[in-house]
Amino acid sequence: MEILDFGISDYGEVLLLQKNFFENLVKDKKEGREGSEYLLLGEHLPVITLGRRAKEENVLISKNLLKEKEIEVFHIGRGGDVTYHCRGQLIVYPILDLNRYKLGVKDYVYILEESIIRLIAKYKINGERVEGATGVWIGKGTSNERKICALGIKCSRYCSMHGIALNVNPDLSGFSMINPCGFQDKGVTSLEKELNSIGPESVLPDMKKIKKDFTEIFLSLLQNKL
């Protein structure tokens, strides 16, 4: 697997890169070849994306205002509803052949979530799953249930693309432009915000360390398949 850091990049450029890698992997698999796998990591400039079953009304501001703010909107083939990306999020797009790891789609989603749960646990943050809602959440079952990591993937012939977005230290006000993941009654949070609530002794790691820690955890879980 090749690990590529795309830095801080325009969403459209990285989407094209993903599609190219994904389509090549699917083609190679169809033709009986072992294609190349990739792990793409980085951050995006502000953008709103809508998944296959997303509802337009979950984008809460007008097209004109989005244009003024220079925020593009993409309709893409992943699962999930609407989400917002910006600097300060760790974006991860694994391009994988799940059959190589003897994984079903649900098992793969579990590994993505588990990678984030274990990652933020290193920084003393308790992340959990919420039934009926993909991703990783804080304050499960409370009136302040809030999402720290969004997840949405696409699979064809058990090859995957798209992935996860962990809120590290983004400007969370951007999420007011949408109903995140289609929810109107749940909040969003970030690693920075949660660490600040613990106290001054909790220091936010830099993005380079977070990428390194995530990569080690994810690859270990993938190889061990839980």
Side-chain angles (χ1 to χ4, degrees), residues 11-208:
Y11 183 84
E13 293 175 2
V14 180
L15 180 60
L16 288 176
L17 184 65
Q18 270 200 89
K19 284 181 176 179
N20 181 54
F21 289 153
F22 175 75
E23 289 168 3
N24 287 340
L25 182 59
V26 172
K27 181 181 178 183
D28 285 340
K29 189 172 184 179
K30 284 181 180 177
E31 297 175 359
R33 296 188 298 272
E34 186 172 291
S36 299
E37 294 184 320
Y38 298 88
L39 183 64
L40 310 182
L41 305 99
E43 301 172 66
H44 285 312
L45 298 173
V47 65
I48 290 172
T49 71
L50 293 95
R52 291 189 304 271
R53 297 182 179 85
K55 297 177 180 178
E56 293 279 354
E57 56 264 33
N58 284 324
V59 179
L60 304 178
I61 67 172
S62 69
K63 292 180 180 178
N64 286 338
L65 192 51
L66 285 169
K67 189 174 181 180
E68 285 179 22
K69 292 176 175 288
E70 299 182 335
I71 296 175
E72 290 187 275
V73 176
F74 285 82
H75 291 76
I76 56 176
R78 62 161 172 78
D81 204 288
V82 60
T83 195
Y84 171 69
H85 298 311
C86 62
R87 294 182 64 167
Q89 280 182 332
L90 170 62
I91 305 293
V92 183
Y93 299 132
I95 315 294
L96 304 178
D97 178 357
L98 302 186
N99 288 147
R100 291 185 193 174
Y101 307 94
K102 298 180 174 61
L103 289 172
V105 175
K106 288 185 178 179
D107 298 323
Y108 175 56
V109 168
Y110 188 93
I111 282 177
L112 288 172
E113 292 172 336
E114 187 67 19
S115 298
I116 294 297
I117 289 170
R118 296 191 187 190
L119 173 69
I120 64 177
K122 287 174 65 74
Y123 316 135
K124 299 181 172 54
I125 303 297
N126 181 38
E128 298 180 88
R129 296 175 181 84
V130 170
E131 187 175 352
T134 57
V136 177
W137 299 77
I138 309 293
K140 177 181 177 179
T142 72
S143 60
N144 189 26
E145 200 169 71
R146 53 213 185 270
K147 183 173 254 188
I148 195 168
C149 180
L151 187 157
I153 63 170
K154 172 184 176 179
C155 283
S156 176
R157 297 183 73 92
Y158 284 93
C159 295
S160 73
M161 66 179 288
H162 299 297
I164 55 178
L166 170 67
N167 294 333
V168 176
N169 59 345
D171 178 358
L172 293 175
S173 67
F175 286 93
S176 64
M177 296 184 291
I178 63 172
N179 288 324
C181 303
F183 293 107
Q184 299 181 32
D185 58 344
K186 299 182 189 295
V188 292
T189 189
S190 67
L191 193 54
E192 179 181 56
K193 185 174 180 179
E194 296 301 320
L195 288 173
N196 285 344
S197 70
I198 294 173
E201 70 280 3
S202 299
V203 179
L204 179 70
D206 63 30
M207 189 66 80
K208 183 177 179 180

